[in-house]
Amino acid sequence: MNSTKSRRKVAITSTENGDSGDKLDQLLLSSAISNGEDLSPFIRKTFASGKPETLLHHLRHFCRSKEAEIEEVCKVHYQDFIMAVDDLRSLLSGVESLKSSISNSNSQLQSVAGPLLTSLDSFIEARNKCQNIALAIQSLQICVKLMEICSRANFHMSKSNFYMALKCIDSIERDFIHKTPSSTLRRMLEKNIPAVRAHIERKISKEFGDWLVEIRTVSRNLGQVAIGQASAGRQREEELRIRQRQAEEQSRLSVRDTVYALEEEEDDGYFVGNDGNDVYGNGGTATANAANAALGFDLTPLYRSYHIHQTLGLEDGFKKYYFENRKLQLTSDFQVSSMTPFLESHQTFFAQIAGFFIVEDRVLRTGGGLITKMEVENLWDIAVSKMCSVLEDQFSRMRTANHLLLIKDYVSLLGVTLRRYGYSVDALLDVLNKHRDKYHELLLSDCRMQVAEALAADKFQQMWMNKEYEYSMNVLSFQIQTSDIVPAFPYIAPFSSTVPDCCRIVRSFVEDSVSFMSHGGQLDFYDVVKKYLDRLLTEVLDDALLKLISTSISGVNQAMVVAANMAVFERACDFFFRHAAKLSGLPLRMVERSRRQFPLTKARDAAEEMLSSLLKKKVDGFMTLIENVNWMIDEQPQNENEYVNEVIIFLETLLSTAQQILPGQVLNRVLQDVLAHISETIVNFLVGESVKKFSLNAVMGIDVDIKVLEQFAENQASLVSEEEANQLKKALVEARQLVNLLLSNNPENFLNPVIRERSYNALDYRKVAIISEKLKDPSERLFGTFGSRGYKQNPKKKSLDSLIKRLKDVN
């Protein structure tokens, strides 16, 4: 019972009379029974002690103690049971009344619910019919929508709008095919949808194949237009630099170090993507779109194919297919035909490549992942490697500088074009720079032939210019004019046609050299251009002029024209280096500070030497008249000898022509050489065997001749400077010092080192010894009588004899 279940365990307690063993055993047994413990230990202990009566006694005592407790519990529960029975009896009477009430209520419910159940059955039947009708309507609506989508798909198919058709098919498969109530319609769709997909895939593949064929032509045209725009931009830059140089020149001439500014023109921009975004320039969208439209640069077929393959779940395969086809196209573009010269096909070749990568750049930016940046870079690496190989091969075969320059210019334009789209072109520029020396060697070879032709065509006559444009073309364009005043026409230039012809060749060389060095990645290339310009002037032009002078000059007029040409070339060379600096973007003041030696020095010296040599030959013809001089004349002559008159007439006639052609400095050097030759000829004639002896009066006659020549030299001060006129006079120094020595009162002073260095430094003591002996006249009238014992010897004669004796000792 509940009271029994809730009975707690009895704990062992000690009593005050704990010395009673029986009492303790009773308590232990009672506790074990109460706790439900095993009694076998107690039983074994009892039988072991031989006192089972004690155990029985304890058990009976425990039973008696529990009987009273049990009785008390039974009394309590019996009272509760009596009360429960009373409650049940009262409840039974209530149940009977409730039963009667429920029966009455049931009868009433049955009578009332009968009509309602009939109405409910009618409602359920009507509801089922309505549900069936709604289901039929829903099925019809699904079928109608399905047929509308099918009709729309057929419409898109008829318009070749395959992407929208696939969208319709995807909608059918996703939203309708599993809901279609018509099994016939479902089977039809399941059968035709794969066929439609296969048809679309075939159509798109064909369209993509046609696009791949068409894009090659489009790429070539696109590349040509893009490179043309780069060329136009380069031309605008050149024009801007020309205006900048003109402004710098004007500023330098007016006010030094004046600050000036030029307004730069805006760039027209470059090609843009199909999305219209101008990513490579400002304000170029309209121009680029117009160019794209004109070229038919349309990526719609490609993107439509890509999107359709995405819809078909073939995106990765299409990407791979596209990349491999474009790679194959790029490889085929590098097949250089051996039937067509590369010079004729190089523009098409490089334009095709430029267009190819412009298209790929557009696909990369607007293709939605059709091609990756890494794949484009791989294609570009392949293209750069192939282009470098082709250029190396073609450049190695070229033998004409102009051909190499044409290809280099176009390749540099290709580099400019593709650099704007983010491609690295350093490898191409390295190939161009690698062939810089070869190009200049070819250019020097071409110029060598041109210079030879120009010199061969020269008639050694002064140029006639009848019009101002001829003067501008042949003189002003090379800055070789000596005055800023335009001369009257017709104008006779102080040079032959060789000068402007060679100047044009050199100027063309400079421009070609700068053109090759420009746009090659090297900003400061003036030193390179100057190095090759030096070689052109020293190795080509100078050598050609030397050859011309040594082989083709036969007359004084020709030599005079060539010498005049060299003077003009000296001014032209300054122009060449300034022109190279201008084209190289170097400030002119830096070139002016580093002026260098005239590079045609050998030819100039040879020309002047040739002119002097021819003039000396002419003079020698007149100097033969010196043989007609009376060397033993008894009287002092009052006038110059005949040979001097002839020489003076020749020199004055020469000057009348030479001063119109030769610059003063050249004329001074030539005249100085000729006069020195005349002086040397006079001295050598006195030394030679033709003159056995001569009188002092003859020496006075030579003195008159030299004075005439000195007067001629002084008269040239109007043509040259006074200092240069003095130099002309000094050219006669040997003859003058010899005459002064022979006419001096104390010729022995020649042996004094101080006096000789001051007054006779141009004389050779050997010649003085020979000539002095010839002046030893045995006539008493001149030197006295050596045989008379009381005659006093002439001091001058004595000094001369002493000089002769001492000179003999020296010899």
Side-chain angles (χ1 to χ4, degrees):
M1 300 179 73
N2 291 337
S3 61
T4 303
K5 294 179 180 178
S6 62
R7 185 182 299 130
R8 59 186 179 85
K9 292 185 178 182
V10 177
I12 301 175
T13 59
S14 62
T15 64
E16 296 178 357
N17 300 320
D19 55 343
S20 177
D22 292 340
K23 190 69 173 178
L24 179 61
D25 293 338
Q26 184 180 356
L27 288 174
L28 293 173
L29 179 63
S30 177
S31 175
I33 294 172
S34 299
N35 293 333
E37 297 177 357
D38 187 12
L39 299 180
S40 56
F42 293 96
I43 297 173
R44 281 193 298 272
K45 181 179 178 183
T46 302
F47 281 98
S49 63
K51 296 178 179 182
E53 296 83 4
T54 303
L55 177 62
L56 292 174
H57 174 74
H58 289 327
L59 292 172
R60 290 189 188 99
H61 181 268
F62 180 77
C63 290
R64 284 194 298 269
S65 63
K66 293 298 180 180
E67 284 178 355
E69 185 179 344
I70 293 170
E71 184 177 358
E72 184 65 27
V73 171
C74 288
K75 287 180 179 180
V76 173
H77 286 284
Y78 177 77
Q79 292 177 356
D80 292 339
F81 176 75
I82 296 300
M83 292 175 64
V85 170
D86 292 340
D87 290 339
L88 286 174
R89 287 178 177 176
S90 62
L91 181 62
L92 181 61
S93 62
V95 169
E96 290 294 335
S97 63
L98 180 61
K99 181 179 178 182
S100 176
S101 175
I102 290 173
S103 178
N104 294 332
S105 298
N106 183 46
S107 299
Q108 293 177 358
L109 178 62
Q110 291 291 334
S111 62
V112 173
L116 292 176
L117 290 174
T118 303
S119 300
L120 179 61
D121 291 339
S122 299
F123 168 74
I124 292 173
E125 182 179 0
R127 189 182 65 179
N128 290 336
K129 289 180 180 179
C130 182
Q131 289 177 347
N132 291 335
I133 291 171
L135 181 61
I137 292 173
Q138 184 180 2
S139 299
L140 288 175
Q141 288 176 342
I142 292 173
C143 291
V144 168
K145 291 181 179 179
L146 178 60
M147 296 308 295
E148 288 178 353
I149 294 176
C150 290
S151 176
R152 199 155 56 242
N154 288 333
F155 174 76
H156 291 315
M157 289 288 293
S158 65
K159 298 297 183 181
S160 297
N161 191 356
F162 300 125
Y163 179 75
M164 294 305 300
L166 284 176
K167 286 294 185 183
C168 293
I169 291 174
D170 289 343
S171 177
I172 292 172
E173 290 183 322
R174 183 180 63 252
D175 301 328
F176 293 99
I177 196 168
H178 63 280
K179 299 179 182 179
T180 302
S182 172
S183 59
T184 302
L185 183 58
R186 184 166 55 252
R187 285 194 300 272
M188 183 272 293
L189 291 174
E190 291 174 348
K191 177 182 178 182
N192 289 336
I193 284 176
V196 171
R197 288 182 182 275
H199 174 74
I200 291 175
E201 187 174 356
R202 287 193 301 272
K203 284 285 188 180
I204 287 301
S205 297
K206 183 180 182 303
E207 182 177 339
F208 176 64
D210 294 340
W211 180 85
L212 284 175
V213 174
E214 181 184 0
I215 199 62
R216 297 191 69 177
T217 303
V218 172
S219 296
R220 182 169 58 253
N221 296 336
L222 180 63
Q224 289 173 345
V225 171
I227 293 176
Q229 288 186 345
S231 178
R234 178 178 292 181
Q235 183 64 33
R236 289 193 297 271
E237 292 176 0
E238 291 293 338
E239 293 173 356
L240 179 62
R241 279 196 291 268
I242 290 173
R243 292 198 296 270
Q244 184 176 354
R245 287 195 295 266
Q246 290 174 349
E248 180 185 3
E249 185 75 14
Q250 293 174 358
S251 175
R252 186 175 62 88
L253 294 176
S254 58
V255 179
R256 288 196 172 275
D257 299 329
T258 301
V259 178
Y260 58 88
L262 292 176
E263 182 178 356
E264 296 186 5
E265 296 180 356
E266 292 185 357
D267 198 355
D268 289 339
Y270 310 104
F271 292 106
V272 295
N274 288 342
D275 54 359
N277 294 326
D278 182 6
V279 296
Y280 296 109
N282 298 322
T285 304
T287 304
N289 285 341
N292 294 345
L295 292 171
F297 182 30
D298 187 11
L299 296 178
T300 302
L302 172 63
Y303 293 159
R304 181 164 58 184
S305 298
Y306 178 48
H307 293 154
I308 289 174
H309 280 82
Q310 280 182 320
T311 306
L312 293 173
L314 304 174
E315 177 181 359
D316 294 338
F318 183 77
K319 288 180 179 179
K320 183 177 180 181
Y321 178 73
Y322 171 79
F323 177 76
E324 293 299 330
N325 272 274
R326 292 294 281 166
K327 183 178 179 181
L328 184 63
Q329 281 189 345
L330 179 63
T331 305
S332 64
D333 288 340
F334 284 102
Q335 301 298 326
V336 179
S337 175
S338 59
M339 302 298 294
T340 304
F342 187 70
L343 183 66
E344 298 178 7
S345 61
H346 75 279
Q347 292 188 359
T348 303
F349 173 76
F350 290 115
Q352 185 77 51
I353 296 171
F356 179 95
F357 284 99
I358 291 173
V359 171
E360 289 309 308
D361 176 76
R362 185 77 52 76
V363 174
L364 174 65
R365 291 187 290 108
T366 62
L370 174 57
I371 192 170
T372 64
K373 184 177 181 180
M374 182 66 70
E375 290 173 332
V376 174
E377 290 178 352
N378 289 338
L379 292 175
W380 177 242
D381 290 340
I382 294 173
V384 168
S385 176
K386 291 288 186 180
M387 283 190 288
C388 290
S389 176
V390 170
L391 288 174
E392 290 279 3
D393 178 61
Q394 295 297 328
F395 283 168
S396 65
R397 301 180 184 181
M398 290 185 179
R399 297 294 179 267
T400 304
N402 188 44
H403 294 173
L404 199 149
L405 178 60
L406 288 174
I407 294 174
K408 180 268 173 187
D409 283 345
Y410 206 79
V411 172
S412 66
L413 288 173
L414 169 72
V416 171
T417 301
L418 292 181
R419 185 185 283 122
R420 291 168 176 170
Y421 291 89
Y423 297 102
S424 175
V425 296
D426 293 341
L428 289 176
L429 299 180
D430 290 341
V431 173
L432 299 180
N433 292 331
K434 180 180 177 181
H435 290 81
R436 180 185 68 191
D437 291 337
K438 177 176 181 178
Y439 168 75
H440 282 93
E441 291 297 334
L442 293 175
L443 193 60
L444 287 171
S445 178
D446 292 344
C447 290
R448 186 176 286 106
M449 291 187 294
Q450 294 171 12
V451 167
E453 293 174 357
L455 296 180
D458 192 9
K459 298 180 180 179
F460 306 104
Q461 297 177 354
Q462 294 176 254
M463 283 191 70
W464 281 66
M465 301 179 195
N466 298 316
K467 300 293 183 179
E468 185 175 354
Y469 81 89
E470 295 179 356
Y471 179 79
S472 176
M473 179 177 63
N474 294 311
V475 179
L476 297 180
S477 60
F478 305 114
Q479 299 179 10
I480 55 178
Q481 70 276 11
T482 56
S483 173
D484 293 334
I485 301 174
V486 178
F489 296 98
Y491 169 68
I492 302 176
F495 52 81
S496 67
S497 60
T498 290
V499 173
D501 290 344
C502 290
C503 285
R504 272 185 281 271
I505 294 170
V506 177
R507 182 178 62 184
S508 177
F509 175 90
V510 170
E511 292 170 353
D512 289 343
S513 178
V514 171
S515 179
F516 187 89
M517 297 303 300
S518 300
H519 316 292
Q522 184 177 354
L523 298 178
D524 185 9
F525 50 83
Y526 171 72
D527 290 338
V528 178
V529 176
K530 186 170 80 66
K531 180 184 76 172
Y532 288 110
L533 177 57
D534 281 334
R535 288 189 57 189
L536 172 67
L537 295 175
T538 57
E539 297 179 13
V540 177
L541 185 57
D542 198 27
D543 290 349
L545 290 170
L546 281 172
K547 182 178 179 181
L548 173 75
I549 293 168
S550 62
T551 59
S552 302
I553 305 300
S554 59
V556 173
N557 290 334
Q558 292 180 347
M560 195 178 302
V561 170
V562 173
N565 288 348
M566 297 311 303
V568 179
F569 273 131
E570 191 163 359
R571 295 194 298 274
C573 286
D574 291 337
F575 162 76
F576 297 146
F577 288 100
R578 289 197 304 271
H579 189 55
K582 284 183 180 180
L583 296 180
S584 302
L586 193 69
L588 292 181
R589 57 181 176 272
M590 296 183 65
V591 181
E592 293 173 351
R593 291 172 186 169
S594 59
R595 288 189 178 275
R596 60 187 307 280
Q597 185 181 2
F598 179 46
L600 305 179
T601 304
K602 294 180 181 178
R604 179 190 64 189
D605 295 344
E608 294 180 7
E609 184 179 351
M610 176 62 71
L611 177 58
S612 298
S613 176
L614 293 173
L615 291 176
K616 290 174 186 177
K617 289 181 180 179
K618 290 285 187 181
V619 168
D620 288 342
F622 299 113
M623 291 298 293
T624 57
L625 297 177
I626 198 173
E627 297 177 356
N628 299 331
V629 174
N630 184 2
W631 296 103
M632 297 302 296
I633 187 171
D634 294 334
E635 297 179 359
Q636 180 179 350
Q638 300 298 319
N639 298 316
E640 66 275 8
N641 290 299
E642 180 184 6
Y643 75 92
V644 172
N645 286 329
E646 295 295 332
V647 169
I648 294 297
I649 293 172
F650 169 73
L651 293 178
E652 289 178 345
T653 304
L654 173 69
L655 283 176
S656 64
T657 304
Q659 66 185 2
Q660 299 177 5
I661 302 177
L662 296 176
Q665 293 180 348
V666 177
L667 184 58
N668 177 68
R669 289 195 294 266
V670 172
L671 281 178
Q672 189 173 346
D673 197 18
V674 172
L675 292 175
H677 176 70
I678 294 173
S679 174
E680 183 181 1
T681 302
I682 294 173
V683 174
N684 289 339
F685 190 80
L686 292 175
V687 175
E689 296 294 332
S690 298
V691 178
K692 303 298 183 181
K693 53 185 173 178
F694 56 89
S695 65
L696 194 60
N697 290 329
V699 175
M700 293 179 180
I702 297 299
D703 181 52
V704 174
D705 296 340
I706 294 174
K707 287 181 179 179
V708 171
L709 293 172
E710 289 175 338
Q711 183 63 41
F712 169 81
E714 292 175 354
N715 292 339
Q716 307 312 313
S718 59
L719 299 178
V720 297
S721 65
E722 185 176 353
E723 180 180 358
E724 290 174 340
N726 291 330
Q727 290 177 354
L728 288 177
K729 187 176 179 180
K730 289 179 181 179
L732 301 166
V733 63
E734 185 179 13
R736 166 51 59 199
Q737 289 183 1
L738 178 63
V739 170
N740 290 344
L741 176 63
L742 296 177
L743 295 178
S744 68
N745 292 325
N746 193 7
E748 192 178 4
N749 286 339
F750 177 77
L751 300 174
N752 187 323
V754 177
I755 298 176
R756 183 172 69 246
E757 180 63 27
R758 184 179 66 244
S759 303
Y760 308 110
N761 56 358
L763 295 178
D764 184 354
Y765 70 91
R766 298 181 185 87
K767 293 181 180 181
V768 171
I770 296 172
I771 295 174
S772 298
E773 280 194 280
K774 292 183 179 182
L775 189 59
K776 185 179 180 181
D777 196 333
S779 172
E780 295 290 335
R781 291 173 297 147
L782 182 59
F783 296 109
T785 304
F786 291 96
S788 300
R789 208 180 270 185
Y791 181 78
K792 188 177 181 181
Q793 189 177 14
N794 188 336
K796 179 177 180 180
K797 179 66 173 69
K798 182 179 180 181
S799 177
L800 185 62
D801 289 341
S802 177
L803 172 64
I804 295 171
K805 181 179 179 181
R806 295 181 65 179
L807 287 176
K808 283 182 177 182
D809 294 339
V810 173
N811 286 334

